[in-house]
Structures are given as C-alpha cells and as structure tokens.
C-alpha cells in the first residue's frame, strides 16, 4: 500500500480504479514555417481564437447550468485572456519574426507566462497556472489537436490521477464514472478546486510527484476529508473506507428523511442550522442537506482570481441567483472580506508586512467606499427578490460600524428614491471576530440587528496565532478556554440585549465543537453544506443539559487539552456513535 497526502479541496470519499493521465512531459515541438506563410499562419491563429472563444461560450453555459454562474465565469475570464492584446502581439511576433507554427507560438508564450507566475513565489499566482494551461489546451484543440485527450467513455468507476487538471477539463468529467481526482500540482484557491466543489466531486491537489509510482491496474482510495490518497490499500483499510462510504450514504439518506425534522436535542432544545457558502450552487446543496437558510455567503469569492472586480450588475445577478436558490429562506450576505490570504481580486492591495493585522475585511471596504457602495447596491437590489441580511466582517470599533451603516443608509435612500423595495426589512449585522468587539459588545448591541461569531478569526486574534501558519498551528485551538470565555461573554451580552447571535466559523462544523457551542448557549449554527448531516445527527443525539454541563466545566478549565479531553469523555459516554468517524479538532 502506498499512502500519499495532499491538500483536500473538495470533500468526500471515493474508491475506484486508477485512471492515469500522464502528460507532464508533453511539449509542442518547434516547427518552422516559411516567411511568406506567416500571414496565413496568423490568420489560422485568428480563426482558432474565434473557435476557442465559442468553445468557451459553450463551456461557460454548461458549467453555469451544472455548477452555478460563478464557476461558469471562470471560462469567461479565459476568453478575456485569449483576447489580451499583449499575449496576442507576442504570438504574432513569434510567427512573423521567428517564423514558427501557431501551435509552437501559443505554447511557448503561454509557458513563459506560466513559468513567470510560478516564480513570483505567490501561491495565488501559482494557482493561476492551471488557468493558463487551460487556455493553452483549448487553443491547441482549436488549432486542430488536443495534447492528451481526456478519458472518453469509461467502463469502470475510476479515480483520475494526473499531474494537473485544468478547470475546463474538470468541468468536462462525467461524475458517473470519474468519482474523484487527485493531482500532483494545484492549490486550494485554484479554479480547478472551485469547479470540483461546485460539482460535488471529491478532490485532492498538490500531492507532489507520484504518478511514476502507480501501476496501471491499481485501486485507489481518495479521502477528500483528510487529503489522503491510498494506492492499493490493505484489505482492512479498504473495508473501513467501504464502510465509511456506506455509512455516509446512509447518513445522507437518513438526513434526506430527517430533512424536514428540526435539529432538536433529546431534551427539546431547538437549534437552527444554516449553510455557509462561497458560490450560488452551494445554496441549493445546503438546502438539500436541511439548511434553514444561508448563514454566511462569502461574497469575496466572486472577486477572487480576476483582473477586474465585477461590476454592480454582475454582482446583482449572482446575488439574486443565491436569493432565488434559497427559495424564500433568509440569506446572510457578508460584504467583502478581502485581504490577508484573500487577495488577487483585481484590486489595489498594499504590500503589508503583517496583512492579517492590516487593511483587510471591513477596513478594506471602508478604505474603498465606492467599491462597498456598488456591492451594497447589488445586495440591496437582490434583496427585492427574497429575504436578505447584510453582515460586516471583522468589525473592531464602533466608528467602523457607524461608517458602514451610514453608507448602507445612503445607498438604500438612493434606491428607494428610484422605486426599490426590499422583500423584507433589511437587517444589518456584524461578525464577532476580534476580541475588542466582544469586550465592548454592550455598546454594539443597541445598534446591531444580529451578531455572528467568526470563530476562525476569533481564535486567530485571541491566541495571536496566524491561522494559516503551520509552525504555530498547535496554538490554533478551538478548545482553548480563553476562546470559550469570549464566546460565552458574547452570548450573555447578546441575550441581555435580545440580539440574535449565531456562530458561522468552523467550530459549527464538527459535532464536538458544536456540542460545546450549544452548551455555551448558541442556538444558531452555520456550517458548510457537507458538514450539516453530521452536525444535525449530533444535535439529535445529545441532551442540551449535558452540553451545558460540559461547557461550564470547560469555562473553568485551564488548557485546551484539558477541555478537549473532557469533551471527548463526554461524547464517549453520551453518544459514542458520534466519535466513530469524528476526528476531534486540535
Ligand atoms: C471566521 O473567521 O470564522 C469566518 C467565518 O470567516 P472566514 O473564515 O471567511 O474568515
Ligand atoms: Mg473571518
């Protein structure tokens, strides 16, 4: 058995035969043409570009239908790349001056871009390499051939193993036969990952070189929850994964049946479950998995990986898509949360030495108020089609809140004068991610309509630990009593002022931490669609009184490991079935 690990970018477990797509070494050989043929060759390239653009139109329409308009927009961005005058003049120059074939010119220029992107040393640019490869393959296909064809009709369910996979190729996979994929290269924010999530296809990227170690008839287990790939697994491990697939299938069937049943603890405490989404298609998935609405829509994902931010009209269309998919259930739209690790949105970002503590989130939006205004206009226009709540991320001071609110009032006034009406009155809320805001929460409570705790950032800012720095990962501890005390304090202040409070950070997604949150008094959880079945099942297994007891004990404990241990003991005693497949967070 060979065990490999990479970055899990799309959850799910799949087992299938290895389907190897090995084309890393593929290069277009240099073919010279005679100088008098160069005009005709440029013409041929012209025609191929037109054909590629119409091919991308089809891809855009097809993926918009299957995975949502934001995934479709990836291919619209590829069209822009094909029309870029700088790229075009480089292709023409090679054909006219060096007298080479259009294929060679296309491949050479795009390879140079890909290399430059890789060498910048930024993950974000490296992730765009797959888009360049995609443009290259589409154009080579239009010029009359495809480097290495994707698998056609497959006889057996398979797991695709490849050096890379472009977003177009991912969109063309048939999920009936390709059950998941794993690539040597790629990154979590890449478009291939985004398309995979939109298609609900388990995927792992950035495994490093491994294809040469795989035999043709190997059996592959892909664990898209933990980023593990097992080649020719030992029989006992294979059996465990087969059971896990059945169990998960069974669980989602059960949830399908429970869908309309409330998430209620055994002693009758009703918990509302909402979905966290990045893309419109996930709203549908969330509702299918029992969500009562969208608790966090991370709108910045519409901005990432683009050379220009989307115009108001495009934003409106995407936000409206989410509202319509939510079918009358509430949608909490978060304003742009750019900065820190979310950059590359076609906007001016400063070179900050400490971006996590810098111009990010609401600070960024207030620094560029026109951008915020156009986003708010788009959100408010979408709110004419269903219940929308607007939420500001990372609010630290009351002044920030007042400035943001004043902009909302101004934009709303403009729209009202033009005849706009919201489907239901707009509520404005804030995320609690910075300890300073929780310490002064009694000052925010009279002016905010709702609070939502972003535990991912709250842990980061409470423990003074960069959430994406592996060297200090052991300090990133959801079970730390300091974090729990802040959450408890937030709940107390919110309750005293009757302001609804929820949690939308990752602590909502695992049964163990969700149990603690419920014990701390949280009645409203928002988690990714994939986590909802497990969380709902946990709620229905537990008693609120027990959760409360374990949370009270945790508030008095001294370290994260003490809390973790007592939560584990509690689950072992009261609901051992929950621990079977649950990996407790650190
Ligand atoms: C959080 O910080 O918990 C949160 C939900 O926001 P994000 O993960 O998008 O920063
Ligand atoms: Mg956050």
């Amino acid at each position: 058995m060979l065990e490999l690990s990479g970055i899990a970018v799309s959850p799910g477990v799949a087992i299938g035969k290895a389907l190897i797509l090995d084309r890393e070494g593929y290069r277009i050989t240099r073919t010279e043409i005679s100088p008098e043929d160069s005009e005709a060759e440029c013409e041929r390239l012209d025609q191929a570009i037109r054909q590629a653009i119409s091919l991308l139109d089809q891809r855009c329409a097809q993926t918009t239908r299957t995975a949502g308009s934001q995934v479709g927009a990836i291919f619209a961005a590829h069209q822009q790349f094909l029309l870029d005058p700088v790229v075009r003049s480089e292709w023409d120059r090679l054909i006219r001056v060096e007298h080479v074939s259009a294929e060679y010119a296309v491949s050479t220029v795009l390879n140079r871009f890909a290399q430059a992107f890789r060498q910048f040393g930024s993950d974000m640019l490296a992730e765009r390499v797959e888009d360049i490869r995609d443009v290259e393959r589409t154009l080579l296909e239009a010029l009359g051939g495809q480097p290495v064809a994707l698998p056609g009709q497959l006889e057996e369910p398979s797991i695709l193993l490849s050096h890379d996979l472009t977003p177009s190729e991912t969109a063309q996979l048939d999920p009936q036969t390709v059950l998941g994929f794993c690539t040597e290269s790629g990154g979590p924010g890449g478009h291939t990952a985004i398309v995979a999530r939109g298609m609900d296809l388990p995927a792992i990227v950035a495994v490093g070189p491994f294809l040469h170690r795989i035999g043709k008839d190997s059996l592959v287990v892909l664990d898209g929850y933990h980023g593990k790939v097992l080649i020719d697994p030992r029989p006992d491990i294979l059996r465990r994964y087969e059971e896990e697939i059945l169990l998960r299938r069974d669980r989602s069937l059960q949830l399908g049946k429970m869908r309309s049943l409330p998430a209620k603890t055994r002693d009758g405490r009703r918990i509302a479950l909402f979905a966290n989404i990045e893309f419109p298609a996930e709203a549908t998935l969330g509702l299918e998995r029992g969500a009562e609405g969208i608790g966090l829509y991370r709108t910045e994902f519409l901005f990432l990986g683009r050379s220009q931010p989307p115009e108001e009209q495009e934003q409106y269309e995407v936000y409206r898509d989410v509202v319509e998919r939510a079918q009358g259930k509430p949608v909490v739209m978060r304003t742009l949360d750019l900065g820190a690790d979310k950059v590359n949105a076609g906007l001016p970002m400063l070179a900050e030495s400490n971006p996590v503590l810098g111009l990010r989130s609401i600070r960024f939006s207030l620094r560029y108020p026109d951008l915020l205004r156009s986003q708010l206009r788009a959100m408010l226009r979408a709110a004419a089609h269903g219940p929308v709540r607007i939420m500001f991320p990372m609010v630290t001071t009351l002044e920030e809140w007042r400035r943001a609110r004043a902009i909302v009032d101004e934009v709303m006034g403009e729209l009202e004068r033009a005849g706009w009406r919201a489907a239901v009155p707009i509520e404005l809320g804030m995320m609690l991610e910075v300890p300073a805001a929780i310490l002064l929460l009694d000052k925010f409570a009279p002016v905010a309509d709702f609070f939502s705790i972003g535990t991912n950032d709250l842990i980061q800012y409470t423990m003074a630990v960069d959430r994406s720095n592996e060297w200090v990962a052991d300090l990133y501890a959801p079970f730390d009593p300091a974090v729990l005390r802040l959450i408890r304090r937030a709940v107390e202040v919110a309750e005293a002022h009757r302001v609804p409070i929820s949690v939308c950070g990752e602590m909502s997604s695992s049964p163990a931490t969700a149990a603690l949150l419920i014990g701390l008094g949280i009645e409203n959880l928002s988690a990714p669609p994939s986590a909802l079945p497990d969380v709902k099942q946990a709620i229905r297994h537990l008693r609120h009184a027990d959760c409360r007891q374990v949370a009270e004990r945790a508030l008095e404990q001294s370290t994260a490991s003490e809390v973790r241990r007592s939560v584990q003991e509690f689950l072992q005693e009261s609901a051992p079935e929950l621990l079977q497949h649950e990996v407790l967070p650190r």
Side-chain angles (χ1 to χ4, degrees), residues 334 337 360 431 433 454 456-457 467:
R334 178 173 76 179
D337 189 30
R360 60 166 295 213
M431 291 193 72
E433 304 185 278
N456 309 340
D457 275 314
R467 71 193 241 195

Side-chain angles (χ1 to χ4, degrees), residues 16-48:
K17 222 181 122 203
L19 175 70
I20 302 168
L21 197 64
D22 188 4
R23 57 185 171 188
E24 197 200 354
Y26 182 86
R27 289 287 168 267
I28 297 278
T29 48
R30 185 180 171 101
T31 309
E32 306 220 337
I33 56 169
S34 67
E36 53 277 16
D37 287 341
S38 52
E39 273 319 304
E41 195 65 1
C42 287
E43 270 291 304
R44 192 165 77 87
L45 177 60
D46 243 358
Q47 256 183 21

Side-chain angles (χ1 to χ4, degrees), residues 74-91:
I74 293 172
F75 302 111
H78 290 183
Q79 288 179 325
Q80 292 308 313
F81 200 91
L82 279 173
L83 294 169
D84 189 303
V86 176
V87 179
R88 180 62 212 254
S89 71
E90 262 307 281
W91 285 333

Side-chain angles (χ1 to χ4, degrees), residues 276 278 296 298 300-301 334 337 341-342 360-361 391 393 431-433 452-461 467 476 503-507 526:
N276 288 353
E278 284 83 39
L296 168 66
R298 292 180 161 105
E300 61 276 7
F301 277 76
R334 178 173 76 179
D337 189 30
D341 60 336
K342 290 185 240 171
R360 60 166 295 213
S361 244
M391 177 161 79
M431 291 193 72
L432 304 182
E433 304 185 278
S452 187
I453 308 180
T455 50
N456 309 340
D457 275 314
L458 184 63
I459 297 167
Q460 161 163 275
Y461 294 126
R467 71 193 241 195
Y476 188 88
V503 172
C504 64
E506 289 299 306
M507 278 181 78
S526 193

